Amino acid sequence: MKHRILLVEDDVAISEMVKGQFTKEGFEVVPAFDGEEALEVFAKETFDLILLDLMLPKLDGMEFLKIIREKSMIPVLIMSAKDGDLDKALGLGFGADDYIAKPFSMIELTARVKAAIRRATHYSRTEQKKETKVLTVGELTLDLDNFSLQKSGNEIKLTAKEFHILKLFISHPSRVYTKAQIYSLVWEDEYYGDENVINVHMRRLREKIEDDPSKPKYIKTLWGIGYKLGEF
């Protein structure tokens, strides 16, 4: 999938030069020639990065950046003939990710754009991984970092095996597990048919997490087959 860049630059020659370069690099570039037009385009389409000139008609680059930062953390790279320290500080202070002064090298600009998108992609994946470290089903919240379980905000103490059994079911809500599979995945050992080990752990886990262990809603028994997570 092509990365998409919103190019906000009022100088047509520069806009065409930058667009041509990044198109060759495999990017999709959408140009806008003033701040107001850029806001309209940004509201309608999705982008991976914004290349932003500061000196724009109708709405200048700084104002555009402030408005964008109220609604999005998209990477923004400022490219401007205003090369003063104050302008750099203002741009970065308002939320720009990088700043390059005109005239610039297309090689350097390309490298900076790729680096900014790479950082943003890595951050996004990291956040997604963080999000998956807390699993929730019904009233249960399983924290994979702290190896803890809460039910309706109240902490429930689990043994390591109980924790991993529950994690197995919550992580794969539609899958049915036999006793042999549970033993293999949680104990990481070969199953020799000792059902009592699984039965005892399942009974203790249900006593801790179910409102009525005799009528379990979180871990259902499929007689003659195994167990699966209840539907919520």
Side-chain angles (χ1 to χ4, degrees):
M1 185 178 66
K2 288 185 177 181
H3 288 298
R4 304 187 78 237
I5 296 174
L6 175 57
L7 172 59
V8 191
E9 168 63 66
D10 65 319
D11 188 311
V12 176
I14 294 177
S15 179
E16 290 180 350
M17 178 183 68
V18 173
K19 181 179 179 180
Q21 169 68 18
F22 282 95
T23 300
K24 290 179 185 177
E25 292 286 334
F27 292 83
E28 182 179 346
V29 181
V30 177
F33 297 96
D34 63 66
E36 290 182 0
E37 180 189 4
L39 282 179
E40 292 176 4
V41 173
F42 186 79
K44 297 174 183 176
E45 302 182 39
T46 302
F47 297 94
D48 298 290
L49 179 136
I50 298 174
L51 278 174
L52 177 65
D53 184 24
L54 287 183
M55 294 184 288
L56 296 169
K58 297 187 179 179
L59 181 72
D60 69 40
M62 290 294 191
E63 289 301 316
F64 171 84
L65 178 58
K66 284 193 284 185
I67 294 170
I68 289 297
R69 277 293 173 256
E70 290 175 357
K71 58 187 75 173
S72 174
M73 290 306 296
I74 183 173
V76 177
L77 194 158
I78 291 175
M79 47 181 198
S80 177
K82 301 175 72 173
D83 190 26
D85 290 338
L86 178 59
D87 295 306
K88 287 183 179 179
L90 284 173
L92 297 173
F94 284 140
D97 296 85
D98 203 352
Y99 191 115
I100 188 168
K102 297 177 181 177
F104 46 75
S105 158
M106 289 305 303
I107 294 175
E108 181 183 1
L109 179 62
T110 303
R112 291 195 184 198
V113 165
K114 289 181 177 179
I117 291 177
R118 188 165 56 247
R119 285 193 300 269
T121 303
H122 174 74
Y123 175 80
S124 176
R125 287 174 180 169
T126 302
E127 288 302 300
Q128 289 173 6
K129 288 179 182 178
K130 288 181 180 178
E131 289 172 5
T132 60
K133 290 187 177 180
V134 176
L135 303 177
T136 302
V137 60
E139 300 167 323
L140 302 180
T141 300
L142 199 66
D143 188 324
L144 305 187
D145 272 341
N146 299 318
F147 292 93
S148 63
L149 172 69
Q150 288 193 346
K151 181 177 181 181
S152 300
N154 299 312
E155 186 172 357
I156 296 175
K157 298 291 185 182
L158 298 180
T159 66
K161 290 293 188 287
E162 290 165 354
F163 180 90
H164 287 295
I165 290 171
L166 185 58
K167 175 187 173 184
L168 183 66
F169 285 103
I170 298 179
S171 299
H172 306 89
S174 61
R175 182 170 172 180
V176 177
Y177 288 96
T178 65
K179 291 179 180 179
Q181 289 171 331
I182 294 171
Y183 192 89
S184 175
L185 292 167
V186 174
W187 274 261
E188 298 182 342
D189 200 358
E190 188 174 348
Y191 181 65
Y192 293 104
D194 185 3
E195 295 188 358
N196 188 53
V197 174
I198 301 296
N199 292 342
V200 169
H201 279 82
M202 202 63 71
R203 174 173 54 80
R204 289 177 177 171
L205 178 58
R206 281 173 167 167
E207 287 173 351
K208 293 179 179 181
I209 67 174
E210 302 285 359
D211 294 332
D212 183 353
S214 65
K215 298 177 181 178
K217 65 178 183 178
Y218 286 105
I219 300 179
K220 297 282 190 179
T221 299
L222 281 69
W223 296 107
I225 303 175
Y227 304 92
K228 76 179 294 291
L229 191 71
E231 295 182 0
F232 292 85

